[in-house]
Amino acid sequence: MSGGKIFMSTEKEDPSQDFLVETRPKTKRPPLYKVMLLNDDFTPMEFVVLVLERFFSKNSTQAFEIMLTVHKKGLALVGIFSHEVAETKVSQVMDFSRRNQHPLQCTMEKE
């Protein structure tokens, strides 16, 4: 049953013993997705910082630290979003990188 009220009656015939039970449908939280930037040997560090500031609303210090993580570790988590937002961010970064002739890769995976 989804939502609404269910009238429950006890075995006695006394109406004062009747009560209402309210049911609520169980809702599941939508899955979240991690968005990551991957290192390459060609994309300038300044461009990665620009991407982080523009598409992930990072300030210059945060963007610089994440860029260094990408550079040193090969990848970095840049945010966790709903599927639609993560997909949009990946697409925006990839399009922007291609338009600027950089091979920067941005991916998403289920959290």
Side-chain angles (χ1 to χ4, degrees):
M1 275 190 187
S2 64
K5 296 183 189 236
I6 300 172
F7 186 71
M8 305 278 299
S9 178
T10 59
E11 291 180 19
K12 299 176 187 166
E13 292 296 323
D14 182 0
S16 68
Q17 297 292 318
D18 295 340
F19 58 94
L20 287 175
V21 176
E22 195 156 331
T23 60
R24 293 185 184 161
K26 294 198 178 195
T27 55
K28 228 169 128 177
R29 291 187 64 160
L32 296 176
Y33 290 79
K34 299 187 286 187
V35 175
M36 293 161 296
L37 286 181
L38 307 176
N39 189 42
D40 63 71
D41 293 330
F42 304 102
T43 304
M45 293 178 177
E46 297 80 15
F47 185 79
V48 176
V49 169
L50 173 64
V51 164
L52 291 163
E53 291 171 346
R54 180 178 285 190
F55 298 105
F56 298 97
S57 302
K58 304 297 183 188
N59 65 38
S60 58
T61 303
Q62 294 169 320
F64 187 78
E65 288 174 5
I66 294 169
M67 177 276 297
L68 283 179
T69 301
V70 172
H71 182 68
K72 292 176 182 176
K73 296 190 176 187
L75 70 113
L77 174 68
V78 294
I80 299 174
F81 307 97
S82 68
H83 184 268
E84 293 78 16
V85 172
E87 203 170 52
T88 299
K89 295 219 179 259
V90 168
S91 179
Q92 289 173 329
V93 170
M94 296 296 287
D95 291 345
F96 186 67
S97 296
R98 298 304 157 263
R99 282 196 315 270
N100 287 277
Q101 300 177 344
H102 295 300
L104 182 64
Q105 294 291 306
C106 186
T107 63
M108 64 186 262
E109 67 180 43
K110 203 170 193 176
E111 186 180 40

